[in-house]
Structures are given as structure tokens and as C-alpha cells.
Amino acid sequence: MVAIDGPAGAGKSTVTKRVADELGYMLVDTGALYRAVALAAQRASVSWDDPDALGELAYALVNERAVELGNQKASGFAVKLRGEDVSLAIREPSVSQGASKVSAVPAVRDALLDMQRHAGAAGGVVLEGRDIGTVVFPNAEAKFFLTASVDIRAQRRFDELLARGGLPELAEVKREVAERDFRDSNRPIAPLKRAEGAQIIDSSVLTIDQVVARIVGRVREVEAELGARE
């Protein structure tokens, strides 16, 4: 199991897809689950600041198997909500902010934990999120913490929104990134932090190819070490 954690905008989605492709592993985007809950809440007029209602909604979605992580697409990982492909909808800025709030609710995290563990239980997987190496799979054999400066991450997000046809303001995007960092790092349940034994990779001055090469190289070393033990 390969666990890649880190703050928003560090490049985890792009990197994990590339890493999974090169390793021939399955990709599991756990953050997409929280985004799907945030979107479902938005559509059901459930406030992202109502923990009780969010917890009930999350358990209902799990029980109904209403959220599906499908096969990879050119744009990333396919996500379905009640049969509808919401892969792009869950990446909207408003939903991103909602996902940060939703993920801080203990009942929501409990509801989705088993789903995440089930997805990665067989091994041969690359999982990305905020607490994969600390909570979901603390015994993952290869752990990484992918980060970058706030300015770099804000610029990346700004460029992404522009490419989608949006009209973002860089100062506002930077504020949202910093705000999300604070929430994710200070929430009482499973805060964003480097897992014990995780290799820190700062992508501020590295290309995607360089980041992927470092991770794949380390995973290959771990594979060799595990093979030698057998």
C-alpha cells in the first residue's frame, strides 16, 4: 500500500494517477468520497456546518452504496453519486471548501473509514488524502507527504480554474487555500499532518516527473525489501 498525504493543491491527484500508472497499481482517491458527501449535502440543502445532519447523510450514502469510485478517466478518477458521474462537479471551488468542512465531522469520517479500508485492503494500491498514512492505513509500507508553498499551490489552483473557463481572483484563491490548510491541520479528528515514517516531498521546485520518479523509486525499493523478507 502506498499512502500519499498532503495539503490541497500540492499535486496529489496528478501525482497519484501517474504513480499508479507506472507501478501498475490501483488508484483510490479517498478525498473524492468527502467531496461527494459535500456535494450530496449541497444538493439536499444540508448545511456543511450541521454535523448531525452531515453524519446522517454520510451513513445513508454508505448504506445505499450511493457513492462509487469508478475506473480512471483522462481527467482523473471517475466518481458517481447515485449513478450520476460527478467527477467534475466535486472539483468545483465551493465543493472543495465544503469537503474540508465535511471531513472534520467525526461521524462522516467514521462512515467513510470502512469504505476506504475496503478499497485498499487487497494491496497493490496508491491512496491519496489527508490522513491515509496516519489513520486509514497507518501500516502502509510506503508513505509520502507531498507539499508545496501556499503561493505555489494557489497559483496552480488559479491556473486550473482558468483552464476550466472560470474567472478566479488570485488573492481569493490564495485565501481559500490558506483557510483550508488551517481547517485541515487543526480539526480535532485526523488532522492533516505528516505520518510517522513518511517521506516529505516539496513539489514547489520539482516537476511532476521528478516527484513521480522519487515516489516510484522509493516504492520499488520497498517492494525489493518486502520480497527479500519472503
Side-chain angles (χ1 to χ4, degrees):
M1 285 180 283
V2 181
I4 301 179
D5 291 313
K12 295 191 305 299
S13 295
T14 301
V15 167
T16 51
K17 183 180 185 303
R18 286 275 304 277
V19 168
D21 286 344
E22 293 202 21
L23 292 172
Y25 283 16
M26 178 182 173
L27 168 64
V28 179
D29 180 357
T30 60
L33 296 174
Y34 292 101
R35 289 173 176 272
V37 173
L39 179 62
Q42 185 182 64
R43 291 180 170 182
S45 298
V46 172
S47 171
W48 291 328
D49 295 314
D50 186 340
D52 292 336
L54 287 171
E56 290 180 12
L57 175 63
Y59 276 110
L61 292 172
V62 171
N63 291 335
E64 296 168 15
R65 298 185 178 181
V67 179
E68 300 174 67
L69 296 180
N71 296 323
Q72 293 185 41
K73 304 168 57 177
S75 60
F77 209 75
V79 182
K80 290 186 176 182
L81 176 61
R82 296 191 173 96
E84 175 192 351
D85 188 334
V86 294
S87 306
L88 293 179
I90 63 171
R91 303 294 172 183
E92 291 298 320
S94 62
V95 177
S96 296
Q97 291 299 310
S100 180
K101 292 184 176 183
V102 164
S103 65
V105 177
V108 174
R109 302 198 72 85
D110 286 344
L112 299 183
L113 185 57
D114 284 345
M115 184 185 295
Q116 295 176 64
R117 286 179 171 163
H118 177 73
V125 293
V126 182
L127 302 101
E128 66 140 305
R130 301 287 191 279
D131 63 346
I132 306 303
T134 55
V135 176
V136 182
F137 286 109
N139 296 322
E141 292 87 352
K143 300 178 185 178
F144 302 90
F145 190 84
L146 182 60
T147 188
S149 69
V150 171
D151 285 339
I152 291 293
R153 290 185 286 123
Q155 185 65 55
R156 289 172 180 169
R157 182 60 175 158
F158 176 81
D159 292 342
E160 178 185 351
L161 294 172
L162 276 181
R164 292 184 187 174
L167 297 172
E169 293 185 7
L170 183 57
E172 178 64 16
V173 173
K174 183 177 178 179
R175 184 195 66 77
E176 290 178 352
V177 168
E179 182 180 282
R180 185 167 186 184
D181 282 353
F182 181 83
R183 280 202 306 268
D184 290 348
S185 300
N186 291 279
R187 64 192 182 205
I189 303 296
L192 169 66
K193 63 180 180 179
R194 172 179 171 264
E196 182 178 355
Q199 178 179 336
I200 298 176
I201 299 179
D202 189 332
S203 68
S204 299
V205 295
L206 297 175
T207 66
I208 293 296
D209 287 345
Q210 290 172 324
V211 173
V212 171
R214 289 192 183 190
I215 294 177
V216 170
R218 176 54 188 155
V219 173
R220 292 303 188 199
E221 291 176 356
V222 173
E223 289 176 336
E225 291 167 6
L226 295 174
R229 293 177 194 171
E230 296 176 357

